[in-house]
Amino acid sequence: MSTIAQWAPAVLALVLVASPGVWRYARHTITIAHEGGHALIALLTGRRLQGIKLNSDTSGVTVSRGRPSGPGVVAMYFAGYVTPPLLGLGAAWLVTEGHVRQLLWATVVLLAAMLIMIRNVFGVFSVILTGGVMFVVSFYGTDDLKSGFALFVAWFLLLGGVRPVGELQSRRMRGKAPQSDADQLARITRVPGLVWVLLFAAVAIGSLFYGGQLLFPEF
């Protein structure tokens, strides 16, 4: 793969994440991953998943039933902000190992599974649109297109996983996020919300760093 083909997906992902006007639309994809993380951990920890809503303002909510405290609910709340960057890290590893096709099809399957639990029209539209793009590229794209798109997916998840953490703390400082994941965790564990935000940031930045090393080992 040429140098331009390697850099172009990273630059495009950075533009989407850094541009405020574009980010408000591109962020919906990160919200899908965020809520998917909540849902997956809820199921893995034995909670009853009742549904997921994805809203047009890029917010989302995952509703489950189970114990109001304990390791399971802590893991569920923690999963949201760390899922996009961890998925990006996993995508970066798959790309570097040559598993581009598997990455794209796995994403389609995960989105299809998530669609079953969506409980609002906008959420259904968002997941179908995202899954449709992945399906078209996976089924009809050339090998070069698939490789470039897989690189873009990895970079977008890595970069897009960092910005929401900063936005979260900004809202918290203005008192506009009393029900955020960090504040829910603070109420459950008595560990300050800022500590949880810093942990989210550590995972996101660490994933970006290691993912970048995988994708650009020469740097």
Side-chain angles (χ1 to χ4, degrees), residues 3 18 29 37 65 69 74 78 85 100 111-112 153 167 178 195 204 214 216:
T3 303
T29 306
R65 291 288 180 267
S69 60
V74 170
F78 185 74
V100 170
L111 288 169
V153 169
E167 293 174 338
V195 173
L214 287 172
F216 288 130

Side-chain angles (χ1 to χ4, degrees), residues 31-175:
T31 302
I32 291 173
H34 179 116
E35 298 303 330
H38 284 316
L40 177 62
I41 298 303
L43 290 172
L44 291 177
T45 56
R47 298 179 66 82
R48 289 186 301 160
L49 183 61
Q50 296 192 316
I52 302 169
K53 289 185 178 181
L54 304 170
N55 303 315
S56 59
D57 64 355
T58 74
S59 66
V61 61
T62 298
V63 179
S64 64
R65 291 288 180 267
R67 290 182 57 190
S69 60
V73 72
V74 170
M76 183 192 69
Y77 279 121
F78 185 74
Y81 280 97
V82 302
T83 294
L86 289 176
L87 286 176
L89 182 58
W93 179 80
L94 286 172
V95 170
T96 57
E97 292 295 314
H99 302 309
V100 170
R101 187 185 299 271
Q102 292 87 334
L103 167 62
L104 297 177
W105 279 111
T107 305
V108 172
V109 171
L110 289 172
L111 288 169
M114 186 176 178
L115 184 62
I116 299 171
M117 298 307 302
I118 300 296
R119 295 293 182 263
N120 67 325
V121 174
F122 183 83
V124 170
F125 170 78
S126 295
V127 174
I128 289 178
L129 178 62
T130 304
V133 171
M134 301 295 298
F135 177 82
V136 169
V137 173
S138 301
F139 196 77
Y140 296 106
T142 63
D143 288 342
D144 286 344
L145 177 60
K146 290 175 185 176
S147 296
F149 189 73
L151 280 171
F152 166 74
V153 169
W155 277 114
F156 181 73
L157 289 169
L158 289 168
L159 292 165
V162 175
R163 180 165 178 171
V165 180
E167 293 174 338
L168 167 64
Q169 184 57 21
S170 177
R171 292 196 306 274
R172 292 184 71 249
M173 291 174 65
R174 300 196 305 271

